[in-house]
Amino acid sequence: MLAELACFKQKCGARFPIDEPIYNCRTCGALLEVSFRNGHINAEQWKKTWRERRTSNEVYDQSGVWRYRELLPFDGYHLQAVSLREGNTPLLSAPRAAEYASLQHLTFKHQGFNPTGSFKDNGMTCGVTQAIRLGKKRVACVSTGNTSASMAAYASAAGLDSIVFIPHGNISYGKLAQALEYGARTLQVEANFDQILALVRVLAERLGIYLLNSINPFRIEGQKTIIFEMMDQRDWIPPDWIVLPGGNLGNTSAFGKALRELRDIGLISEIPRLAVIQAEGASPFYEFMRNGGTFQSQPDPHTLATAIKIGDPVSWPKAFQEIEVSKGVVEKVSEQEIADAKAIIGRCGIGCEPASAATLAGIKKLTEAGVIGETDDVIAVLTGNVLKDPDYIYQYHTGQLKDPEGRNIDARFGNKPIVAPNDADAIARILES
Ligand code: F0G
């Protein structure tokens, strides 16, 4: 299908060629999105083709992103794409987590199975491919950790230089380690995510560096495939709810766009409701949806779920539209609720990073409030791998985890390691007690 960049604000309606290196509308400054001029659509045939590609040995068929290339704005250019075989993430049934949240069934779509361990890989393969199409040599992002890990990997795989900006002392070591290992030039800036994003936008403009934050519409296009793959895995039967954590709100806008596109071409009959969950200390979108009025950013966001420690989410206008269209909801959860939900997801043998566990904590709250029904068909998207933040896990299970105000978080589902002497009798006594 023919694609161009369009101002997200329909009132403005400005359009730009697909190969302009811009992120905001040149006319009104609003966010941009990819808009398709529908060419020849044969959705029934596409479904068959996508299924057949799963058995192919071609790189771009094996990728859980490029497999759906008919709905991406690269039109043949996918043959230049840099792929690490992203996507292909499983749907996992989790009875124990379902019971915890008073549901009959609960399914996780685990994006932590991606090459760098988070959902960012779905978007990054497209973002970096666009950088190649534009002839850019350097890419940059500000990140709470996962975007930087992903960008560093894809940029290196493509032979591009990558520059990562992270809030000093505020990302997990697992993620920082990835950026270093994949070879990104890494700057730890003494400011928070929102402040650094403003800084990086200035630098990108001045130095001609291609920006790969989620304001980049090609990242959003790639993240749409999380939904395409989810529906493909369910034989195109939508669930009642899709639940995801909300930080900068790029993923919420990607999911909503994907669902609208699938509905518009007749691949799903109804749009599931989106439920976006934020951490209490970083919940400007929740407050806006609850109180209305003008959007108020939070100057000093705080949460141990550092991935979603964002007070001024840049994609909130898009996310707002998607919540409206899907008749969705936004909820917030406490640090204790996130920590407990995370331990329960671990006990399912699944595991995830703290931000991802906000989903289960949010579902529990929403079922208790009667918003989600006990028999509803719910899919929660786990956005990051359990090994992204091992410090958090160790502290929780040993009763040392403290919230950002310094209050203890109870290890309600704690599983403390036991120090044992080198003595079979003593160990036998421990194991039999
Ligand atoms: N979950 C994880 C694990 C994340 O890393 C992020 C965002 C989110 C959820 C929220 O997604 O921003 O689209 O609403 N991480 C970004 C980063 C901000 O820099 O890695 P969002």
Side-chain angles (χ1 to χ4, degrees):
M1 290 192 286
L2 276 179
E4 54 192 355
L5 292 171
C7 179
F8 160 72
K9 276 210 176 124
Q10 277 174 0
K11 266 192 288 177
C12 170
R15 289 180 172 261
F16 309 91
I18 201 73
D19 53 0
E20 286 246 8
I22 51 174
Y23 323 96
N24 289 84
C25 175
R26 286 223 170 97
T27 310
C28 76
L31 291 167
L32 293 174
E33 65 177 7
V34 170
S35 154
F36 293 98
R37 276 183 207 267
N38 286 350
H40 179 65
I41 293 174
N42 189 344
E44 285 307 312
Q45 180 54 47
W46 287 354
K47 273 199 317 201
K48 286 201 196 99
T49 307
W50 294 334
R51 192 57 67 91
E52 279 162 19
R53 285 179 185 156
R54 285 200 207 176
T55 58
S56 157
N57 281 333
E58 278 295 317
V59 174
Y60 302 113
D61 293 346
Q62 284 186 353
S63 162
V65 172
W66 297 102
R67 181 177 306 143
Y68 303 99
R69 50 191 174 263
E70 283 75 9
L71 294 175
L72 298 175
F74 288 88
D75 220 4
Y77 199 83
H78 73 276
L79 294 169
Q80 316 293 317
V82 53
S83 170
L84 295 169
R85 311 301 185 281
E86 50 291 320
N88 296 305
T89 63
L91 287 178
L92 303 169
S93 171
R96 201 162 184 164
E99 194 189 327
Y100 178 73
S102 310
L103 286 177
Q104 283 184 9
H105 299 284
L106 175 60
T107 306
F108 289 119
K109 173 126 178 98
H110 204 327
Q111 291 302 114
F113 281 59
N114 260 301
T116 78
S118 84
F119 73 98
K120 305 290 180 179
D121 294 341
N122 286 67
M124 203 52 77
T125 182
C126 289
V128 169
T129 299
Q130 181 67 5
I132 300 169
R133 171 152 78 178
L134 298 174
K136 297 282 184 181
K137 300 281 178 264
R138 285 196 294 182
V139 292
C141 70
V142 52
S143 178
T144 55
N146 281 323
T147 299
S148 48
S150 182
M151 188 189 77
Y154 280 85
S156 285
L160 306 180
D161 289 337
S162 61
I163 310 161
V164 154
F165 294 82
I166 49 177
H168 189 35
N170 270 305
I171 77 166
S172 72
Y173 271 115
K175 300 174 189 177
L176 173 58
Q178 285 181 292
L180 302 177
E181 185 81 354
Y182 296 135
R185 210 182 237 213
T186 304
L187 288 105
Q188 297 179 279
V189 184
E190 280 162 343
N192 69 28
F193 177 92
D194 308 300
Q195 294 161 330
I196 305 173
L197 181 56
L199 182 80
V200 174
R201 293 185 71 155
V202 172
L203 284 166
E205 180 76 33
R206 189 184 298 174
L207 304 176
I209 301 170
Y210 194 53
L211 201 55
L212 283 173
N213 276 100
S214 58
I215 53 166
N216 185 312
F218 296 91
R219 285 261 324 268
I220 301 298
E221 289 301 298
Q223 285 170 215
K224 288 187 323 190
T225 63
I226 300 168
I227 295 291
F228 299 160
E229 184 177 80
M230 180 195 291
M231 295 302 154
D232 191 357
Q233 287 165 321
R234 291 174 51 98
D235 297 321
W236 307 96
I237 300 165
D240 298 310
W241 292 92
I242 297 175
V243 186
L244 73 161
N248 220 8
L249 300 172
N251 217 21
T252 306
S253 48
F255 283 16
K257 187 170 193 277
L259 291 166
R260 284 187 288 110
E261 287 178 3
L262 291 182
R263 181 202 51 195
D264 292 349
I265 62 174
L267 279 181
I268 57 171
S269 49
E270 259 185 87
I271 292 188
R273 298 179 74 181
L274 291 175
V276 174
I277 318 296
Q278 297 208 289
E280 250 172 30
S283 53
F285 191 48
Y286 168 83
E287 299 300 338
F288 171 70
M289 294 303 291
R290 216 184 99 141
N291 304 325
T294 51
F295 190 89
Q296 305 281 338
S297 59
Q298 288 177 0
D300 185 23
H302 50 270
T303 168
L304 299 178
T306 49
I308 50 174
K309 188 172 162 180
I310 292 177
D312 192 9
V314 73
S315 292
W316 77 260
K318 287 185 173 178
F320 174 60
Q321 167 185 286
E322 305 309 347
I323 294 293
E324 296 278 289
V325 169
S326 75
K327 301 187 184 65
V329 297
V330 183
E331 185 54 277
K332 67 173 179 180
V333 288
S334 70
E335 297 296 312
Q336 182 73 53
E337 288 167 327
I338 293 174
D340 291 338
K342 184 172 139 53
I344 295 290
I345 296 169
R347 294 278 180 94
C348 296
I350 293 175
C352 64
E353 68 164 282
S356 311
T359 53
L360 180 61
I363 294 167
K364 183 170 163 46
K365 257 181 125 165
L366 290 167
T367 50
E368 279 163 7
V371 178
I372 295 183
E374 189 195 337
T375 57
D376 284 359
D377 183 359
V378 183
I379 302 189
V381 178
L382 299 180
T383 43
N385 189 283
V386 66
L387 287 175
K388 287 279 187 175
D389 197 350
D391 293 346
Y392 181 106
I393 301 177
Y394 184 76
Q395 286 174 19
Y396 176 82
H397 287 289
T398 54
Q400 301 173 63
L401 194 64
K402 292 196 187 330
D403 74 12
E405 269 87 38
R407 289 179 302 234
N408 271 333
I409 290 187
D410 287 343
R412 288 192 190 141
F413 304 98
N415 180 24
K416 215 172 171 171
I418 304 160
V419 180
N422 182 12
D423 175 340
D425 292 339
I427 293 178
R429 275 197 300 279
I430 292 170
L431 294 180
E432 274 159 17
S433 69

